[in-house]
Amino acid sequence: MNSNTEHPLSPKQVIKALVNNKVMSKDQAIEIIGEKEKIRRRLEDARAKNGQSVPGSLKIANPVTIVDVIVARKMMRADKPELELDEDIIFQILAKQWEKPYKKIDPLSLDLNLVTTTIPKNFAMKHLLLPIAVFEGSLVVATSDPFNPMVIEDISRVAHMPVSIVVTAKTDIIRLINEFFGFKRSIAAAESMFSSPIVDLGNLEQYVRLQADDELPANDHHIVNAVNHLFNYAFEQRASDIHIEPKREVVLVRMRIDGVLHTVYRLPKKVHSAIVSRIKNLSRLDMAEKRRPQDGRIKTDKGDVEVEIRISTIPVGFGEKVVMRVMDPDILFQDLDKLGFSDNDLERYMQMVNRPNGMVLVCGPTGSGKSTTLYSTLRRISTPEVNVTTIEDPIEMIHEDFNQISVQPSVDITFASILRNILRQDPDIIMVGELRDLDTSRNAIQAALTGHLVLSTLHTNDAPSSVVRLLDIGIPSFLVQATLTGVISQRLVRKICPRCRESYEIETSELEKMGLDAGEGDKATLYRGKGCMKCRGTGYFGRTAILEVMPYSKALKGLTRPDADLDSIRKMALAEGMVTLRENAMRNLLSGMTTIEEVLRVTWEQE
């Protein structure tokens, strides 16, 4: 590049490219130019604080650029105001301007050996370069700054092949370098300790071989790094669960993201015991016990927020399987207005839970968001003037405003036994994790009868079914009539990814064949996700609840008899204005929040 020519990553060139491609308006450009020095200083101070700019320790060529400034400004796109002008779109436009291909890298498609052995980590981090593939005899290298020909020549000479450049966002380059040279190198190093032929009484490999069960110690730094990375990667990917599943020759690491499991890593079987031991050590489980299921929990940090991780181990065919449930307070404690209630349903629900006594039930299958609804409700109605007590199995998330009791059947601390004694604790609001049996249900009813508000869950398909279920459990109809205040039923649907959302038209007759009523007209406009890297190709990003709210009215009490008919109860609830799960799902479908497939998946039982 000619020394007189302005660098393509200069503020002037970057802003010009963004304005020309209409993702940034001229007004926004003027704002950025006016604020860039202030934002740059703030970012540089933050990096210095984190040790990234200390003289003598600089390992990464990461000066604050105009792209960093624009991303930090968090402005919305001029062409699509609902989307943020983020790093990905900026580098896509710059790549087009530079006539270079843009690549959003999928970590699952990368080869460990190629990434970590082609160039050293220090070199990769210093120049922000990442080898990602060999294609047609050329080494494909991803970078955020393709204007360094001397470095490209060095890589070509080391790799003994020509180099072709693709442009990738800088943050992705840094993250992937850390991931591959950190986590995957740690796994490779740990694995090698079992098979290295070196005999040295002073090295760690010999120490490991002296262990009785031929395992790496749980505090080995490679294993510590690997487990730490698993947690951080799960937080980054918004995973709700991490599964570590031993197979005959490998260990699968799978993460549940938006309700769907994704295989993230395939690890060598040799490191399985060490990883499990490390997790057990962190959660204070018995590391020597491998035959019985165990439960524990870990508290850690996710940014500035404390996150609890619930641990469950169980023996399976090829070893111990570990499932880690990420209990994120940002998920469990939400604003009720944002959970998915329509305005009318939220008003009816708040009338139920603002009463001083009675019982409110939240129904739905496992994984339908019942805990989130209950915790969010408790936080909404909890004040310093009331005593909130919860009985859970186990405690999902510790919250200092609640008095939380964990069920422990081994010492006869059960839902029923706690409920029998809890009234001496002067509670105002009681949350019971689940009405599992007659004894628990009787005691919950008794608490509601004696002037307390009781919230609990029940496994039924819809709200009207809960009345019949209580009668089936063995609760007399007059007690149901005296205590039940209302019921809500819920499901979770995946939301369409905003990055790749597209509209299409469908004949309303086709929707009717599926049992979906799209209203009047011959055609309906619906939406779907095409699939992108942001959503891992699924077309979905995040989830929302669809809810069915049924206040327990006088008319419904009149239908609650020992021989109660479910159809009669349902018809009466509908006549009184209950909006069904499917109708609320259709509202989300027609508004462009979710897809036909999700509506059919979660409301099939109402068809």
Side-chain angles (χ1 to χ4, degrees):
M1 187 170 62
N2 192 305
S3 59
N4 296 322
T5 305
E6 197 164 10
H7 194 285
L9 268 171
S10 69
K12 182 179 177 181
Q13 294 296 329
V14 171
I15 291 173
K16 182 180 177 182
L18 298 178
V19 171
N20 288 345
N21 283 271
K22 300 180 179 178
V23 297
M24 178 185 284
S25 68
K26 290 182 180 179
D27 289 342
Q28 288 175 319
I30 292 169
E31 282 181 36
I32 283 292
I33 291 169
E35 297 180 17
K36 67 180 172 55
E37 289 307 319
K38 181 176 72 175
I39 297 174
R40 187 195 303 276
R41 283 194 300 272
R42 175 162 55 84
L43 292 175
E44 286 173 348
D45 289 345
R47 291 184 185 182
K49 204 172 191 180
N50 292 331
Q52 291 187 25
S53 303
V54 180
S57 67
L58 183 64
K59 295 183 179 180
I60 173 170
N62 187 20
V64 176
T65 67
I66 187 63
V67 176
D68 299 318
V69 170
I70 295 169
V71 172
R73 182 65 174 72
K74 293 186 179 297
M75 58 174 51
M76 308 313 287
R77 289 173 55 170
D79 59 336
K80 296 181 180 177
E82 72 276 10
L83 298 180
E84 192 173 301
L85 182 55
D86 62 14
E87 195 178 16
D88 278 329
I89 190 62
I90 293 172
F91 275 102
Q92 282 181 45
I93 287 168
L94 293 177
K96 179 183 173 185
Q97 183 85 3
W98 300 335
E99 297 182 348
K100 301 280 186 185
Y102 178 80
K103 176 76 173 175
K104 180 70 176 176
I105 302 171
D106 179 2
L108 302 183
S109 68
L110 298 183
D111 178 73
L112 166 66
N113 290 330
L114 177 71
V115 173
T116 58
T117 62
T118 305
I119 58 176
K121 179 182 180 182
N122 287 345
F123 185 88
M125 199 60 109
K126 180 179 179 181
H127 299 289
L128 295 181
L129 296 159
L130 191 73
I132 60 173
V134 174
F135 183 70
E136 295 182 350
S138 293
L139 178 67
V140 182
V141 175
T143 181
S144 57
D145 183 358
F147 302 101
N148 199 335
M150 298 296 292
V151 173
I152 305 302
E153 285 179 20
D154 289 343
I155 296 176
S156 178
R157 197 160 45 246
V158 168
H160 304 295
M161 66 178 79
V163 171
S164 61
I165 293 294
V166 295
V167 176
T168 297
K170 182 170 68 172
T171 303
D172 285 352
I173 295 282
I174 295 170
R175 177 175 55 81
L176 289 167
I177 290 173
N178 284 326
E179 176 181 337
F180 276 79
F181 285 92
F183 172 69
K184 296 200 174 182
R185 266 291 174 84
S186 293
I187 292 297
E191 182 189 19
S192 71
M193 292 182 179
F194 292 98
S195 54
S196 173
I198 297 173
V199 178
D200 181 356
L201 291 177
N203 72 9
L204 181 60
E205 182 259 350
Q206 182 67 17
Y207 172 74
V208 171
R209 287 183 178 278
L210 291 175
Q211 300 305 300
D213 54 1
D214 197 29
E215 290 181 2
L216 275 169
N219 62 354
D220 176 80
H221 69 280
H222 295 306
I223 295 301
V224 170
N225 291 340
V227 172
N228 288 347
H229 170 81
L230 280 180
F231 292 149
N232 289 327
Y233 194 64
F235 300 154
E236 178 190 314
Q237 297 297 321
R238 304 174 298 107
S240 60
D241 300 85
I242 310 166
H243 293 233
I244 298 177
E245 303 177 359
K247 305 299 180 186
R248 188 181 298 277
E249 297 178 352
V250 298
V251 179
L252 297 184
V253 177
R254 302 201 289 166
M255 294 186 183
R256 190 176 295 280
I257 303 166
D258 294 335
V260 177
L261 278 172
H262 298 264
T263 300
V264 179
Y265 298 119
R266 298 173 68 88
L267 306 181
K269 184 67 178 289
K270 293 176 182 178
V271 302
H272 173 252
S273 292
I275 287 177
V276 173
S277 293
R278 173 62 181 169
I279 293 167
K280 285 183 172 181
N281 185 35
L282 288 172
S283 52
R284 299 181 181 179
L285 299 181
D286 184 352
M287 289 193 284
E289 179 57 73
K290 301 178 185 294
R291 299 166 299 170
R292 293 187 300 177
Q294 296 189 70
D295 294 302
R297 55 201 315 133
I298 299 169
K299 180 168 276 193
T300 185
D301 293 327
K302 188 188 89 170
D304 298 329
V305 179
E306 280 192 349
V307 173
E308 291 195 20
I309 301 171
R310 208 166 70 204
I311 310 297
S312 171
T313 69
I314 196 164
V316 294
F318 296 107
E320 280 187 285
K321 177 180 176 181
V322 180
V323 175
M324 295 175 277
R325 167 67 59 87
V326 180
M327 312 307 295
D328 188 341
D330 292 339
I331 301 297
L332 276 175
F333 297 102
Q334 295 191 40
D335 190 334
L336 285 176
D337 299 332
K338 297 176 182 176
L339 279 186
F341 285 98
S342 67
D343 292 342
N344 186 47
D345 279 347
L346 180 59
E347 183 180 345
R348 300 170 95 190
Y349 179 59
M350 292 311 300
Q351 287 172 358
M352 297 178 196
V353 297
N354 281 326
R355 292 183 58 170
N357 55 58
M359 185 164 66
V360 178
L361 299 179
V362 181
C363 302
T366 302
S368 59
K370 298 189 297 296
S371 294
T372 296
T373 299
L374 283 174
Y375 271 113
S376 301
T377 301
L378 287 177
R379 192 175 70 167
R380 175 80 164 253
I381 63 179
S382 173
T383 66
E385 290 77 34
V386 297
N387 175 15
V388 178
T389 303
T390 74
I391 310 167
E392 305 173 61
D393 182 20
I395 295 172
E396 302 257 351
M397 172 64 70
I398 300 293
H399 193 286
E400 61 181 19
D401 290 345
F402 312 151
N403 301 292
Q404 295 169 281
I405 304 166
S406 180
V407 168
Q408 299 178 60
S410 59
V411 289
D412 197 32
I413 301 178
T414 63
F415 282 116
S417 65
I418 297 170
L419 276 166
R420 279 194 293 271
N421 295 282
I422 202 172
L423 299 186
R424 300 171 192 161
Q425 291 286 315
D426 188 30
D428 296 293
I429 301 169
I430 303 169
M431 192 269 273
V432 183
E434 184 184 346
L435 299 186
R436 293 182 176 175
D437 50 42
L438 177 58
D439 205 7
T440 303
S441 302
R442 275 178 177 164
N443 284 285
I445 292 277
Q446 187 62 39
L449 275 174
T450 53
H452 304 86
L453 177 64
V454 178
L455 307 178
S456 190
T457 69
L458 197 63
H459 287 284
T460 61
N461 286 336
D462 58 12
S465 301
S466 61
V467 177
V468 178
R469 176 63 61 84
L470 289 173
L471 298 172
D472 289 344
I473 289 174
I475 303 298
S477 57
F478 70 90
L479 286 180
V480 176
Q481 294 168 356
T483 55
L484 189 61
T485 300
V487 185
I488 72 168
S489 179
Q490 68 179 78
R491 301 288 188 279
L492 292 178
V493 293
R494 290 183 288 173
K495 296 191 290 186
I496 298 171
C497 174
R499 292 293 190 84
C500 58
R501 193 174 81 149
E502 64 176 7
S503 62
Y504 68 99
E505 287 192 341
I506 186 171
E507 301 282 343
T508 51
S509 58
E510 289 296 313
L511 291 173
E512 287 170 4
K513 290 177 184 176
M514 302 179 208
L516 303 177
D517 180 10
E520 298 178 359
D522 296 330
K523 292 186 177 181
T525 300
L526 303 180
Y527 296 84
R528 62 192 169 200
K530 290 186 291 187
C532 62
M533 285 301 301
K534 180 84 171 175
C535 61
R536 289 185 169 271
T538 62
Y540 299 100
F541 190 88
R543 291 188 290 178
T544 188
I546 57 167
L547 301 115
E548 181 176 86
V549 180
M550 187 188 82
Y552 190 57
S553 65
K554 288 183 179 179
L556 291 174
K557 289 180 182 179
L559 295 173
T560 305
R561 300 184 296 268
D563 59 345
D565 177 60
L566 177 57
D567 286 337
S568 299
I569 293 172
R570 183 177 288 118
K571 286 176 183 175
M572 179 58 70
L574 291 171
E576 293 185 333
M578 182 186 79
V579 181
T580 66
L581 284 169
R582 173 154 286 190
E583 289 168 342
N584 274 322
M586 282 301 298
R587 175 173 59 87
N588 283 338
L589 174 66
L590 296 173
S591 68
M593 185 170 289
T594 192
T595 63
I596 291 175
E597 291 77 12
E598 284 294 286
V599 170
L600 294 174
R601 179 178 67 84
V602 301
T603 64
W604 64 270
E605 71 272 6
Q606 292 195 334
E607 195 170 350

